[in-house]
Amino acid sequence: MQVPEKDVLLKVENLKMYFPAAKSLFGKTTSCVKAVDNVSFEVEKGKTFGLVGESGCGKTTTGKCILRITNPTEGHIYYKGKDISRASKEEIKSIRREIQLIFQDPYGSLDPRQSAYSIIKEAVVTGKEKYTESEVAARVKELLEIVELLPEMGDRYPHEMSGGQRQRLGIARALACNPELIVCDEPVSALDVSIQAQVINLFQSLQERLGLTYVFIAHDLAVVRHIADVIGVMYLGHIVEIMDAAEIYSNPVHPYTRALLSAVPITDYYVEKSRKRILLEGEVPSPIHAPSGCPFHPRCAYATDVCKAEVPSLTDTGGGHLVACHLSKKN
Ligand code: SF4
């Protein structure tokens, strides 16, 4: 049987983002923070790629590079087949209409002096489409309806809204330009658990309705597992495992993914009781003095000499399940 060709909307290839940490007397960079180090993945059109990992692992920086908020040090970002990693300012302006960002903290990302109506209107008029005044009003009303906010909410200011309503407003603003790809940076982690579920459901229904593609960044594996089609696990600037979301509970391979999973509570009492929690020893190493070889080796219970010397490459262990671990390599 022939495998259908993937319709890849976004492809990230060997992406590196290094920030200078110290300079010599003559202005030469002497050490740097390797926030993102050789990251590669692709996102199919209409699907969700979940990027998960602890705080400081490089997820947000990867998102910022995709949006070209920061200029990558090395590597390529292909959007619709075109390399946008070195796009000019003018090109970035037009790309930003198609690739939007949803922030973790909707309160911090919304102008407190503007009503919800003005916030959405501002985004509508900066889009590609040219609207008349009455069309703008109709579009704002439509966007409020799409994110399940009542039309009268348009008169409210961000501080008069609940956390969930503010996040819906942030989503409406992101949708104003008819984007194809949305980078969602921890979009539900500041919300109550019950509201989280509602907002996640909204993301899913919008994806079905508008054919959106998401890069969904979160530290909570349970949330990512719920929304993502494919999951990439990041550790210290590296992607250590990429797999189908359906496989995450049944077939996690990398020792770090297994440790992360063991900390996710399971609702089944008996399964939960029989599970063994894998406790990671030590702190996440500094990205300024990243360990040699496998970045996870100082905390890995299975580390050998080869782990300390050689960086494991992301290797297909079967069916597109990619793992960066010397132990997982087929003999
Ligand atoms: Fe552990 Fe070695 Fe695999 Fe790294 S490569 S995760 S140190 S076994």
Side-chain angles (χ1 to χ4, degrees):
M1 200 178 79
Q2 214 182 353
V3 181
E5 220 172 275
K6 283 193 210 167
D7 187 2
V8 175
L9 186 70
L10 177 79
K11 185 175 176 183
V12 174
E13 206 174 75
N14 304 327
L15 186 71
K16 291 183 185 177
M17 186 67 231
Y18 296 172
F19 296 100
K23 289 194 172 179
S24 71
L25 212 57
F26 306 103
K28 207 174 160 210
T29 303
T30 50
S31 69
C32 53
V33 176
K34 295 181 176 178
V36 177
D37 204 5
N38 232 0
V39 160
S40 301
F41 61 89
E42 50 187 41
V43 189
E44 263 187 84
K45 193 172 165 51
K47 304 271 179 177
T48 301
F49 183 83
L51 206 49
V52 74
E54 291 166 294
S55 293
C57 70
K59 318 179 288 283
T60 296
T61 309
T62 304
K64 284 184 176 169
C65 288
I66 294 169
L67 281 146
R68 290 297 318 278
I69 294 171
T70 45
N71 292 325
T73 310
E74 259 181 53
H76 302 279
I77 300 160
Y78 297 98
Y79 173 68
K80 291 184 175 171
K82 190 176 173 213
D83 189 358
I84 59 165
S85 56
R86 306 283 175 269
S88 66
K89 275 190 184 162
E90 217 33 58
E91 286 169 317
I92 291 170
K93 234 169 125 184
S94 92
I95 292 162
R96 291 247 176 91
R97 293 192 189 110
E98 294 190 29
I99 309 178
Q100 284 286 311
L101 173 68
I102 292 173
F103 299 89
Q104 173 181 7
D105 175 13
Y107 202 38
S109 67
L110 299 169
D111 185 347
R113 293 161 304 175
Q114 287 195 58
S115 67
Y117 182 91
S118 321
I119 289 170
I120 303 175
K121 180 184 167 187
E122 195 176 67
V124 169
V125 296
T126 53
K128 244 194 277 178
E129 316 283 332
K130 293 290 160 246
Y131 296 107
T132 62
E133 199 56 37
S134 62
E135 284 169 341
V136 169
R139 178 77 178 130
V140 175
K141 193 168 164 243
E142 183 194 21
L143 286 162
L144 285 168
E145 182 264 315
I146 286 177
V147 298
E148 297 162 8
L149 284 176
L150 294 170
E152 48 267 35
M153 282 283 174
D155 296 331
R156 296 218 185 153
Y157 286 81
H159 72 273
E160 296 174 312
M161 299 174 128
S162 68
Q165 287 167 342
R166 278 196 291 266
Q167 194 52 291
R168 286 171 194 271
L169 173 58
I171 297 170
R173 181 179 60 179
L175 294 176
C177 298
N178 296 313
E180 293 202 32
L181 173 68
I182 302 184
V183 177
C184 313
D185 188 7
E186 302 264 12
V188 294
S189 47
L191 305 175
D192 291 346
V193 177
S194 60
I195 309 294
Q196 279 190 5
Q198 291 173 15
V199 175
I200 294 270
N201 289 341
L202 176 66
F203 274 116
Q204 286 178 318
S205 69
L206 289 174
Q207 185 167 48
E208 277 168 31
R209 183 170 169 179
L210 307 171
L212 296 167
T213 306
Y214 297 134
V215 173
F216 197 95
I217 297 168
H219 65 272
D220 186 340
L221 251 183
V223 168
V224 175
R225 157 80 175 81
H226 188 75
I227 192 166
D229 298 286
V230 176
I231 296 177
V233 181
M234 275 191 92
Y235 182 79
L236 209 64
H238 298 255
I239 288 208
V240 295
E241 187 159 8
I242 296 179
M243 77 209 103
D244 264 14
E247 270 196 80
I248 186 128
Y249 284 122
S250 60
N251 188 25
V253 175
H254 196 280
Y256 177 63
T257 312
R258 285 199 235 149
L260 274 187
L261 269 171
S262 82
V264 176
I266 289 180
T267 45
D268 186 317
Y269 172 77
Y270 296 103
V271 176
E272 180 65 29
K273 211 173 160 211
S274 62
R275 283 198 319 156
K276 211 175 143 207
R277 174 90 201 264
I278 304 169
L279 287 174
L280 289 177
E281 308 235 326
E283 294 293 316
V284 181
S286 159
I288 303 178
H289 307 291
S292 60
C294 171
F296 190 56
H297 88 251
R299 302 173 83 194
C300 181
Y302 309 98
T304 59
D305 286 345
V306 68
C307 302
K308 293 172 193 165
E310 285 175 34
V311 182
S313 54
L314 261 184
T315 310
D316 195 339
T317 58
H321 187 153
L322 309 177
V323 183
C325 173
H326 292 303
L327 283 187
S328 71
K329 286 190 181 145
K330 284 181 180 171
N331 295 318

